[in-house]
Amino acid sequence: MITLSILIVLALICALVGVLMGLFSLIGLLASLLVGVLVGALAGHIANRFMGTQTSTGRNIVLGILGSFVGEFLFGLIGIHATGSISSFVISVLGACVCIWVDNRLFHDR
């Protein structure tokens, strides 16, 4: 009877730890998404200033996030890969500059 009680208590502890780890991973996921949006917004804002355009904050966020993917892809094609936070941010800003240039050519120069 004591063995069964100990097994039930251990099972409940494992279930509780599993729930808490799931909660922590959900919080970690939300935090990483928030950081990604903030870094994308900052990269878009810096690229916007660098390119000399005036766009909305929402467009800066979208172009900054898209720019990080574009920058990683373009620099990956020529064999340059980001190894740290700063180099990844620089590549994101340069990718956002490319996205802003394409955006200006497609939608603003008519």
Side-chain angles (χ1 to χ4, degrees):
M1 194 63 152
I2 293 175
T3 308
L4 181 62
S5 299
I6 291 172
L7 288 175
I8 290 174
V9 168
L10 286 175
L12 289 174
I13 289 172
C14 288
L16 180 64
V17 168
V19 167
L20 288 176
M21 293 306 289
L23 180 63
F24 289 144
S25 66
L26 179 64
I27 291 171
L29 174 69
L30 292 175
S32 66
L33 285 174
L34 179 65
V35 168
V37 168
L38 291 175
V39 168
L42 183 62
H45 179 73
I46 290 172
N48 188 19
R49 296 293 179 197
F50 183 72
M51 297 294 288
T53 59
Q54 298 295 326
T55 58
S56 67
T57 304
R59 183 169 258 176
N60 286 346
I61 291 172
V62 170
L63 291 176
I65 293 170
L66 181 65
S68 75
F69 293 113
V70 169
E72 291 289 333
F73 176 74
L74 291 177
F75 279 91
L77 287 176
I78 59 174
I80 299 173
H81 301 284
T83 57
S85 298
I86 294 174
S87 60
S88 180
F89 183 72
V90 169
I91 286 176
S92 295
V93 170
L94 293 174
C97 287
V98 170
C99 288
I100 289 172
W101 182 80
V102 169
D103 179 59
N104 283 336
R105 294 296 173 253
L106 291 179
F107 300 112
H108 297 291
D109 288 341
R110 296 203 185 257

